[in-house]
Amino acid sequence: MINNLWLYINNFNIANFTTLCSLMTGLSSAFFFNHGKYDTAFLLIFASGLLDSLDGTLATKFNCRTKFGALLDDIVDTVLYVALYPVLIFLLFGDVLMFLAAASYTVSGVLRHTRGICYTEIKRQGFPTTSIAYFAPIVWWLFSGSPYLTQAYAGALVGFALLMQAGFDSSFYDDLKKKF
């Protein structure tokens, strides 16, 4: 018990705190989505993305990069940018096109983060899943009230899904097959 507590305290630093703030900010956006306050929700999504971009920079600047921090960041990214936000966007529009677009983005994001968790020593390649935190609010503010809002989201989600997969070679899948 004491060793587990010490491990937790030892891994708590400014970068991991920023990652947790990103998580809390991102999850609070779901509350505002649920209550129909979309401008506030998208502003919180954008703030969450900024905090997520900042955590790695802080870890490098203050020399507090850890495997725990990398794993925490991957988990938070998966929860927010791969699972929560595409689902919220789907629920906002609720049609088949948006379901397929959100599903393609989610599957690509899960594959990207699986690679990151299995191979923490490799440098990230491809399109970051965090990009949805910047994309979603901008599209909302540009196309709000437009009949093309659903198509803009669907097209961008599928495009981002393809970009996430484009930066990786197939050796990851070969190695994964060998493990299982």
Side-chain angles (χ1 to χ4, degrees), residues 132-144:
I132 195 172
Y134 304 117
F135 146 77
I138 290 169
V139 171
W140 175 259
W141 292 320
L142 287 177
F143 289 95
S144 190

Side-chain angles (χ1 to χ4, degrees), residues 94-115:
D95 64 2
V96 174
L97 175 67
M98 191 53 69
F99 172 76
L100 293 173
S104 70
Y105 183 88
T106 299
V107 168
S108 291
V110 167
L111 289 173
R112 185 181 198 290
H113 281 280
T114 301
R115 284 187 284 263

Side-chain angles (χ1 to χ4, degrees), residues 101 103-109 127 155-166:
S104 70
Y105 183 88
T106 299
V107 168
S108 291
F127 206 69
L157 283 174
V158 171
F160 284 175
L162 293 172
L163 285 170
M164 275 191 273
Q165 296 308 309

Side-chain angles (χ1 to χ4, degrees), residues 2-76:
I2 298 294
N3 288 340
N4 290 341
L5 182 61
W6 178 249
L7 180 67
Y8 174 76
I9 292 170
N10 196 30
N11 281 306
F12 191 76
N13 56 48
I14 187 71
N16 294 344
F17 178 74
T18 305
T19 302
L20 292 175
C21 287
S22 172
L23 176 65
M24 299 315 296
T25 304
L27 290 176
S28 65
S29 70
F31 172 81
F32 288 99
F33 253 101
N34 190 40
H35 287 84
K37 304 219 183 270
Y38 302 118
D39 286 332
T40 304
F42 281 117
L43 184 64
L44 288 170
I45 289 171
F46 192 79
S48 174
L50 289 176
L51 287 169
D52 184 67
S53 298
L54 185 63
D55 61 2
T57 304
L58 290 172
T60 302
K61 181 167 178 61
F62 292 106
N63 195 26
C64 56
R65 295 181 75 104
T66 63
K67 286 186 178 185
F68 173 80
L71 182 62
L72 178 66
D73 187 51
D74 267 341
I75 290 169
V76 168

